[in-house]
Amino acid sequence: MSEPNPPVAGEAHTIELGDLSGLRDGDVTTCSAGALDIMVCRYAGTLYAIEDRCSHAETTLSDGLLTGPNIACPLHGASFDVRDGHHLGPPAYTGVRTFPVTEADGVTTVSLTPPKPAEPDPGAPPMRFRTR
């Protein structure tokens, strides 16, 4: 694994992790890009990469328990889905960033430019909030 430079805003940046074909379902590994720590894990045969920092308590998620697609923070138990980074309830109220992973010819790469959020559907009805 080479030591990457920190990503530049708006610029695609990848980290080459080498051959992770030996990483089995439920296994976790980590890498760093400057100040950004990333957790890579395999679930159902697919590799996923998420920011290795709990959005609730700034704790390292890779020290937590991976159960199915969910990683639980070892400090307070906040859980996140490794497939899309969303939080699964309190104590976390926000998700964590995810990053695209590619496996080809024995080389695994992580793209540090997360996909853009989906544009709202112009045909969708307006959002209404219920207070009670």
Side-chain angles (χ1 to χ4, degrees):
M1 229 183 307
S2 61
E3 187 63 33
N5 295 321
V8 176
E11 185 178 300
H13 183 78
T14 59
I15 299 174
E16 187 175 301
L17 302 179
D19 185 2
L20 293 184
S21 61
L23 201 68
R24 300 173 308 195
D25 277 0
D27 287 348
V28 171
T29 190
T30 60
C31 63
S32 294
L36 178 64
D37 294 322
I38 299 167
M39 181 188 97
V40 179
C41 64
R42 190 175 300 276
Y43 165 70
T46 302
L47 284 177
Y48 295 95
I50 66 170
E51 188 170 9
D52 194 16
R53 189 76 45 213
C54 177
S55 64
H56 167 251
E58 297 292 316
T59 302
T60 305
L61 290 173
S62 58
D63 290 334
L65 179 63
L66 181 65
T67 306
N70 305 324
I71 184 75
C73 175
L75 189 58
H76 297 119
S79 291
F80 304 89
D81 189 318
V82 299
R83 297 169 294 185
D84 60 14
H86 79 271
H87 75 286
L88 301 169
Y93 289 96
T94 59
V96 293
R97 292 185 289 174
T98 60
F99 305 96
V101 180
T102 311
E103 286 185 281
D105 301 322
V107 177
T108 302
T109 57
V110 175
S111 174
L112 296 184
T113 305
K116 292 181 180 178
E119 294 294 323
D121 181 358
M127 294 283 294
R128 298 191 185 191
F129 295 96
R130 186 177 199 174
T131 59
R132 294 183 194 222

